[in-house]
Amino acid sequence: MRRVHNFSAGPAALPEPVLRQAAEEMLDWHGSGMSVMEMSHRGKHFMAIAEEAETLLRELLAVPANYKILFMQGGAIAENAIVPMNMLRGHAGADYVDTGEWSRRSIAEARRYGQVNVVASNAEGGSVAIPARDSWKLDPNAAYVHICTNETIGGVQYHWTPDVGSVPLVADMSSDILSRPIDVSRYGLIYAGAQKNIGPSGLTIVIVREDLLGGALPCTPTAFDYQVVAEHGSMYNTPPTYAIYIAGLVFNWLKARGGLAAMAEHNRVKAALLYDFLDSTSFYSSPIARDCRSWMNVPFRLHDSALDAAFLKGADERGLVQLKGHRIVGGMRASIYNAMPIEGVQALVAYMKEFEAAHG
Amino acid sequence: MRRVHNFSAGPAALPEPVLRQAAEEMLDWHGSGMSVMEMSHRGKHFMAIAEEAETLLRELLAVPANYKILFMQGGAIAENAIVPMNMLRGHAGADYVDTGEWSRRSIAEARRYGQVNVVASNAEGGSVAIPARDSWKLDPNAAYVHICTNETIGGVQYHWTPDVGSVPLVADMSSDILSRPIDVSRYGLIYAGAQKNIGPSGLTIVIVREDLLGGALPCTPTAFDYQVVAEHGSMYNTPPTYAIYIAGLVFNWLKARGGLAAMAEHNRVKAALLYDFLDSTSFYSSPIARDCRSWMNVPFRLHDSALDAAFLKGADERGLVQLKGHRIVGGMRASIYNAMPIEGVQALVAYMKEFEAAHG
């Protein structure tokens, strides 16, 4: 068996112990005589699995009792519609902060359901950064304020939680949920596709304050009405059972590793290792403002893009895979989510030094 | 390791060779150094997996070239909204045939998007049957005619394909797709949740005639607009990659078993074994009209429901699990999808005889 260091932006690397356990339990989960994939979602075995997953997630993120956790489908791209459908609640529109490609996709989709006020944007100008809070032109009557806490493509991340007063803060945390502790009570709603820090694609996590449930637009498919999903314990439609099981194994792994405080330190150290190296050489560079560099997705460039193909080929030969940058920004991107061990980043930096020595 | 005979209605039993292969490949798919769960959906490995799954499905069902196959999310319950959102295409409404609980859920959801004309129903009257075609009061201006080819709860199944003229026939085939050959060209659209005959829950298959794409209602979430999904090769949002991989393994297993003609014979024989036994005794009974008894889901009753609990307990002890009927109809239900071997049905009938001898 061979295992690579997988820098994919998502679906992304999973903890190896999780995969080992999943393989071992594939044909017979805990003596049930069934794979988790084969279990009725309403049977006692799967009900226990789903309940444990929710309990662990609640514990890891310290989710307050007045928040519901929903297991849904469709990923963040479906949520771009499902959020305004559920969250406009009679308001004319919502405020969105534009910090990159994922924000802009959320904005474009939300415009189909209500007025969208882009209160701040980093689309213009040179450096790639998060617009400072005092530049945001918020509407006190907005249904909510939407942010993307980590831009997977651009590589910018909020390292602070915006104060938006009494208007609910809605966050797409697809690519940094569970990477560090957060104060859930500062948010009205958090959503995240699973395929970065949680588990397999096809599962979406929604964490929503109870008083925000209800009043979805009449055209909302019932399966995507947060209130209905909450009332049915995420079993209004058949949930993605195997993805929930894997997510539960990941949550267990996170807990055993010391929870999100330990994970934040792990991620801070990995990111610092890579950014410090990028700053130490002119052969490579990071285009991101220092105070909002992502701990999860590190885009970087070679000083000469003619070397890109050779760089990727050499990396691949060393088992350092999926480093090609997103087509929108080009260059390279190292995604170093929770499951990426420090050894993976060390191996990447060692290779980058080696490549620089050979081509510098 | 223990394996039971799992009569769950869904998520349901999967072929054991599929589970074995999935376990073996969990940490390293074909020397890639990655689990399928960890692969970028746009990388060469997963693209090959998705392409093979689609090719096999197209081959198994003999899908004509002018039909698109879409891999979506949300299951049939989400499709209950997504179908009218996409398929009304400027028409005022659609025709629905009511053959049971799943039809009625489709009808209730479709009413939120347009006029629904229930053209025939088995909700009234004694026997549980499919209304004869000549009783259907079709509207020639309907956007489509909707049927559910197999009612998982009621246990009725179409053993014929309705002729509805030039109006597109739309079928929920969640619980009998791939159980026998069908003539796809008779349908405008077929949809199916994966969790019975295809693979894990969280994956929905849509097969749609190309000329029906386009013109979705303005409120349709872009991720659920069939035309957008088709144009992006089911990758507008991140697809449920692991579920697609497992589905591909199931398709391979079906092909190796001789395809759908062989599968139909396998299912016919299993169903006949169980129904013939039910008809041979007054201790058990089937409430379903003979010409529309489902090959997939066999509801049956004990002559004395006071014995139900003892029956289920004894079954469980013999590794015959998930036989309890749906709460709406009570009694028992044996779901005997493709992956249920003949030995499972033989074991069930042997136990039923044994139980009758002890309590008759």
Side-chain angles (χ1 to χ4, degrees):
Chain A
M1 193 199 69
R2 173 180 179 244
R3 290 281 294 167
V4 295
H5 287 303
N6 175 8
F7 295 92
S8 170
L14 288 167
E16 199 174 302
V18 164
L19 296 172
R20 287 194 187 281
Q21 187 174 346
E24 278 163 24
E25 297 178 343
M26 180 63 85
L27 280 93
D28 179 12
W29 182 84
H30 294 202
S32 66
M34 287 184 266
S35 174
V36 173
M37 279 184 221
E38 303 178 296
M39 293 173 179
S40 166
H41 56 300
R42 299 193 186 281
K44 64 181 175 188
H45 297 307
F46 184 73
M47 292 293 279
I49 288 169
E51 211 173 287
E52 193 194 354
E54 183 183 331
T55 301
L56 283 165
L57 181 58
R58 200 171 272 283
E59 188 183 331
L60 286 166
L61 282 169
V63 178
N66 63 325
Y67 284 70
K68 293 284 189 193
I69 294 178
L70 313 180
F71 295 117
M72 297 182 66
Q73 299 179 53
I77 291 181
E79 288 300 320
N80 284 341
I82 297 168
V83 164
M85 282 176 143
N86 280 276
M87 296 290 287
L88 282 171
R89 294 164 300 119
H91 297 255
D95 287 350
Y96 277 68
V97 182
D98 170 11
T99 50
E101 185 61 22
W102 288 103
S103 300
R104 291 194 270 278
R105 292 191 68 162
S106 297
I107 288 165
E109 186 78 356
R111 285 211 162 107
R112 304 177 59 230
Y113 301 97
Q115 289 168 27
V116 170
N117 178 27
V118 178
V119 297
S121 173
N122 71 356
E124 305 294 320
S127 83
V128 182
I130 304 274
R133 170 66 188 85
D134 58 16
S135 72
W136 300 10
K137 295 185 180 65
L138 295 177
D139 174 358
N141 296 314
Y144 56 89
V145 181
H146 181 281
I147 62 170
C148 175
T149 53
N150 183 72
E151 290 278 356
T152 322
I153 295 175
V156 296
Q157 183 177 27
Y158 285 82
H159 292 295
W160 47 284
T161 306
D163 182 353
V164 294
S166 60
V167 175
L169 182 62
V170 171
D172 176 358
M173 286 197 189
S174 293
S175 54
D176 67 355
I177 193 167
L178 296 172
S179 67
R180 56 187 180 183
I182 53 168
D183 181 354
V184 173
S185 73
R186 303 281 301 275
Y187 299 86
L189 182 137
I190 293 166
Y191 65 94
Q195 64 267 24
K196 285 94 157 66
N197 271 334
I198 295 172
S201 61
L203 169 65
T204 316
I205 302 282
V206 173
I207 303 171
V208 55
R209 216 173 63 208
E210 282 171 352
D211 64 287
L212 298 172
L213 294 171
L217 295 181
C219 63
T220 309
T222 309
F224 302 120
D225 181 322
Y226 292 146
Q227 186 170 36
V228 173
V229 178
E231 281 169 1
H232 288 78
S234 300
M235 297 217 185
Y236 180 77
N237 56 351
T238 309
T241 53
Y242 197 73
I244 291 171
Y245 156 71
I246 297 288
L249 297 185
V250 171
F251 300 156
N252 249 320
W253 176 82
L254 284 169
K255 187 179 174 182
R257 294 276 305 247
L260 300 194
M263 202 45 57
E265 182 58 13
H266 166 68
N267 288 321
R268 191 193 62 73
V269 168
K270 285 187 299 180
L273 182 62
L274 191 45
Y275 286 115
D276 287 350
F277 171 67
L278 288 169
D279 290 341
S280 73
T281 162
S282 57
F283 189 86
Y284 303 100
S285 65
S286 160
I288 315 296
R290 291 193 185 218
D291 63 350
C292 52
R293 286 175 168 179
S294 170
W295 290 3
M296 300 283 103
N297 311 96
V298 184
F300 62 92
R301 297 179 171 284
L302 277 63
H303 75 101
D304 178 1
S305 62
L307 293 171
D308 284 4
F311 180 86
L312 287 167
K313 185 166 176 291
D316 220 58
E317 287 162 7
R318 285 158 184 80
L320 305 167
V321 308
Q322 310 263 19
L323 281 162
K324 190 174 179 180
H326 193 279
R327 64 186 186 282
I328 292 176
V329 293
M332 305 296 149
R333 175 174 52 174
S335 294
I336 51 174
Y337 300 114
N338 285 347
M340 174 61 65
I342 182 81
E343 292 78 12
V345 182
Q346 287 165 342
L348 173 60
V349 170
Y351 167 63
M352 289 169 75
K353 287 180 182 168
E354 179 193 333
F355 188 85
E356 178 177 351
H359 298 84
Chain B
M1 192 198 72
R2 171 180 179 244
R3 290 282 293 167
V4 295
H5 287 303
N6 175 7
F7 295 92
S8 170
L14 288 166
E16 199 175 301
V18 165
L19 297 172
R20 287 193 187 282
Q21 186 173 346
E24 277 161 25
E25 297 178 344
M26 179 64 84
L27 281 93
D28 179 13
W29 181 84
H30 296 201
S32 65
M34 287 185 265
S35 174
V36 174
M37 279 182 220
E38 303 179 295
M39 294 174 179
S40 165
H41 56 299
R42 299 192 187 281
K44 64 181 176 189
H45 297 308
F46 184 74
M47 292 293 278
I49 289 169
E51 210 172 288
E52 194 196 355
E54 183 182 331
T55 301
L56 284 166
L57 181 57
R58 200 171 271 283
E59 189 183 330
L60 285 166
L61 282 170
V63 178
N66 64 324
Y67 285 70
K68 294 284 189 195
I69 294 178
L70 313 180
F71 294 117
M72 298 183 65
Q73 298 178 54
I77 291 180
E79 288 299 321
N80 284 342
I82 297 167
V83 164
M85 282 176 142
N86 280 276
M87 295 290 287
L88 282 171
R89 295 164 299 118
H91 296 256
D95 287 349
Y96 277 69
V97 181
D98 170 11
T99 50
E101 185 62 22
W102 287 103
S103 300
R104 291 194 271 277
R105 293 191 68 162
S106 297
I107 289 164
E109 186 78 355
R111 287 210 161 105
R112 304 179 58 230
Y113 301 96
Q115 288 168 26
V116 171
N117 177 26
V118 178
V119 297
S121 172
N122 71 357
E124 304 294 321
S127 82
V128 182
I130 304 275
R133 170 65 189 84
D134 58 15
S135 72
W136 299 10
K137 295 185 181 64
L138 295 177
D139 174 359
N141 296 314
Y144 57 89
V145 180
H146 181 281
I147 61 170
C148 175
T149 53
N150 184 71
E151 291 277 356
T152 323
I153 295 175
V156 296
Q157 183 178 27
Y158 284 81
H159 292 295
W160 46 284
T161 306
D163 182 353
V164 294
S166 61
V167 175
L169 182 62
V170 171
D172 176 358
M173 286 197 190
S174 293
S175 54
D176 68 354
I177 194 167
L178 296 173
S179 67
R180 56 187 179 182
I182 53 167
D183 180 354
V184 172
S185 73
R186 302 282 301 276
Y187 300 85
L189 183 137
I190 292 166
Y191 65 94
Q195 63 268 25
K196 285 96 157 64
N197 270 333
I198 296 171
S201 60
L203 169 65
T204 317
I205 302 283
V206 174
I207 303 171
V208 56
R209 217 174 63 208
E210 282 171 352
D211 63 287
L212 299 172
L213 293 171
L217 296 180
C219 63
T220 309
T222 309
F224 302 119
D225 181 322
Y226 292 146
Q227 186 169 37
V228 173
V229 178
E231 280 167 3
H232 288 79
S234 301
M235 297 217 183
Y236 179 77
N237 55 352
T238 309
T241 53
Y242 197 74
I244 291 171
Y245 156 72
I246 297 288
L249 297 185
V250 171
F251 299 156
N252 250 318
W253 175 82
L254 284 169
K255 187 179 174 182
R257 294 275 306 246
L260 300 194
M263 201 45 59
E265 183 58 13
H266 166 69
N267 288 322
R268 190 192 63 72
V269 168
K270 285 187 299 180
L273 182 61
L274 191 44
Y275 287 115
D276 286 351
F277 172 67
L278 288 169
D279 289 341
S280 74
T281 162
S282 57
F283 189 87
Y284 304 99
S285 65
S286 160
I288 316 297
R290 291 192 184 217
D291 63 350
C292 53
R293 286 176 168 178
S294 170
W295 291 4
M296 299 282 102
N297 311 96
V298 183
F300 63 91
R301 296 179 172 284
L302 277 63
H303 74 100
D304 177 2
S305 62
L307 293 170
D308 284 4
F311 180 86
L312 288 166
K313 185 166 176 289
D316 221 57
E317 286 162 7
R318 285 158 183 80
L320 306 166
V321 309
Q322 310 263 18
L323 281 162
K324 192 174 178 180
H326 193 279
R327 62 184 188 283
I328 293 176
V329 293
M332 306 296 149
R333 173 174 53 174
S335 294
I336 51 175
Y337 299 115
N338 286 347
M340 173 60 65
I342 182 80
E343 292 78 12
V345 181
Q346 287 166 340
L348 173 60
V349 170
Y351 167 63
M352 289 169 75
K353 287 180 181 169
E354 179 194 334
F355 188 85
E356 178 177 348
H359 298 85

